[in-house]
């Protein structure tokens, strides 16, 4: 299985980095081919410019910096997102990556006239999300978990019909302890052993 790990956190020694490292280690130990995409390390530009937006419905973005990202999407059979939840959703860097990379003629084709979009991501059979969240579980649910819905409903809809998904979140991250973080890492490892 070919897994793309999309990692988004600006702090190199964050707990999200520990999650990323555990995830990559488990998947590789299972014999998966893993490619890591660290959006902050590569200084990904999440801003869609005027010309890119004007041509968004007509063709894939022409920015040469996006070509390696398109290739990664085409290569992946599984995608694992690792990021912090900020203001109940995705970090701007990750949202910008979705905006610019999951694009026309890359992730989907728009119909001529009315009709459904055609997915170009049916080779992706697994999507996972591992995140940290400062809010408690109950409040995240009340707010509607926008990040979870974006990835596991919106983006997953472009993947294989029977695409398997999972969502893990370490809630109350701001008051976490070494014990809660260790327990969460154990949960991550166990989940990925079965993914």
């Amino acid at each position: 299985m070919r897994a793309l790990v999309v990692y988004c956190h600006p702090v190199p020694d964050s707990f999200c980095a520990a999650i990323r490292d555990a995830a990559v280690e488990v998947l590789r130990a299972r014999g998966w081919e893993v490619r890591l995409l660290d959006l902050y390390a590569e200084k990904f530009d999440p801003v869609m410019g005027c010309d890119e937006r004007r041509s968004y419905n007509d063709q894939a973005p022409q920015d040469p910096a996006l070509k390696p990202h398109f290739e990664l999407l085409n290569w992946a059979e599984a995608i694992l997102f690792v990021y912090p939840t900020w203001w109940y959703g995705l970090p701007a860097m990750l949202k910008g990556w979705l905006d610019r990379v999951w694009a026309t003629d890359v992730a989907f084709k728009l119909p001529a006239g009315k009709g459904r979009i055609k997915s170009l991501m049916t080779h992706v059979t697994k999507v996972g999300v591992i995140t940290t969240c400062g809010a408690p579980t109950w409040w995240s649910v009340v707010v509607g978990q926008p990040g979870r819905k974006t990835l596991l409903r919106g983006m997953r809809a472009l993947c294989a019909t029977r695409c398997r998904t999972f969502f893990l979140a370490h809630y109350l991250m701001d008051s976490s302890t070494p014990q809660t973080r260790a327990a969460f890492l154990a949960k991550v490892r166990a989940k990925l052993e079965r993914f």
Side-chain angles (χ1 to χ4, degrees), residues 111-131:
K114 294 182 180 180
R116 293 181 172 205
I117 66 171
K118 179 185 177 197
S119 172
L120 300 177
M121 298 293 294
T122 56
H123 55 280
V124 175
T125 60
K126 297 175 188 248
V127 176
V129 172
I130 307 174
T131 187

Side-chain angles (χ1 to χ4, degrees), residues 48-101:
M48 181 183 294
C50 178
D51 291 339
E52 188 175 323
R53 179 61 199 130
R54 285 183 192 276
S55 64
Y56 187 84
N57 291 346
D58 302 322
Q59 64 184 9
Q62 301 302 300
D63 183 345
L66 297 177
K67 189 172 186 242
H69 296 263
F70 300 157
E71 291 168 355
L72 284 171
L73 276 189
N74 286 326
W75 170 85
E77 297 171 309
I79 302 176
L80 177 63
F81 295 93
V82 179
Y83 65 91
T85 295
W86 291 338
W87 287 107
Y88 315 108
L90 306 173
M93 176 81 73
L94 181 53
K95 177 61 171 66
W97 183 78
L98 296 175
D99 291 342
R100 298 192 69 210
V101 176

Side-chain angles (χ1 to χ4, degrees), residues 8 13 30 33 39 47 63 75 89 102 126 190:
C8 185
D13 58 346
R30 292 184 61 200
E33 186 179 349
L39 296 175
V47 178
D63 183 345
W75 170 85
W102 289 60
K126 297 175 188 248

Side-chain angles (χ1 to χ4, degrees), residues 3-190:
L4 173 61
V5 177
V6 181
Y7 172 70
C8 185
H9 199 293
V11 180
D13 58 346
S14 67
F15 182 58
C16 276
I19 294 169
R20 172 204 64 207
D21 293 346
V24 168
E25 179 186 316
V26 170
L27 294 176
R28 285 188 174 145
R30 292 184 61 200
W32 288 26
E33 186 179 349
V34 178
R35 293 187 184 170
L36 174 63
L37 176 58
D38 183 336
L39 296 175
Y40 276 95
E42 78 159 50
K43 296 179 176 33
F44 179 79
D45 181 1
V47 178
M48 181 183 294
C50 178
D51 291 339
E52 188 175 323
R53 179 61 199 130
R54 285 183 192 276
S55 64
Y56 187 84
N57 291 346
D58 302 322
Q59 64 184 9
Q62 301 302 300
D63 183 345
L66 297 177
K67 189 172 186 242
H69 296 263
F70 300 157
E71 291 168 355
L72 284 171
L73 276 189
N74 286 326
W75 170 85
E77 297 171 309
I79 302 176
L80 177 63
F81 295 93
V82 179
Y83 65 91
T85 295
W86 291 338
W87 287 107
Y88 315 108
L90 306 173
M93 176 81 73
L94 181 53
K95 177 61 171 66
W97 183 78
L98 296 175
D99 291 342
R100 298 192 69 210
V101 176
W102 289 60
T104 305
D105 294 337
V106 178
F108 61 89
K109 281 194 174 292
L110 290 172
K114 294 182 180 180
R116 293 181 172 205
I117 66 171
K118 179 185 177 197
S119 172
L120 300 177
M121 298 293 294
T122 56
H123 55 280
V124 175
T125 60
K126 297 175 188 248
V127 176
V129 172
I130 307 174
T131 187
T132 58
C133 187
T137 308
W138 70 270
W139 183 247
S140 297
V141 170
V142 167
V143 169
Q145 298 181 310
R148 180 180 190 164
K149 287 180 180 174
T150 296
L151 296 172
L152 297 186
R153 288 190 187 174
M155 309 319 284
R156 184 250 175 255
L158 292 173
C159 298
T161 303
R162 291 197 168 98
C163 180
R164 297 189 57 188
T165 66
F166 79 84
F167 180 85
L168 284 178
H170 185 302
Y171 295 101
L172 296 172
M173 185 64 206
D174 300 334
S175 59
S176 69
T177 65
Q179 293 76 22
T180 64
R181 292 190 297 274
F184 186 74
L185 283 176
K187 190 187 269 189
V188 165
R189 290 176 180 280

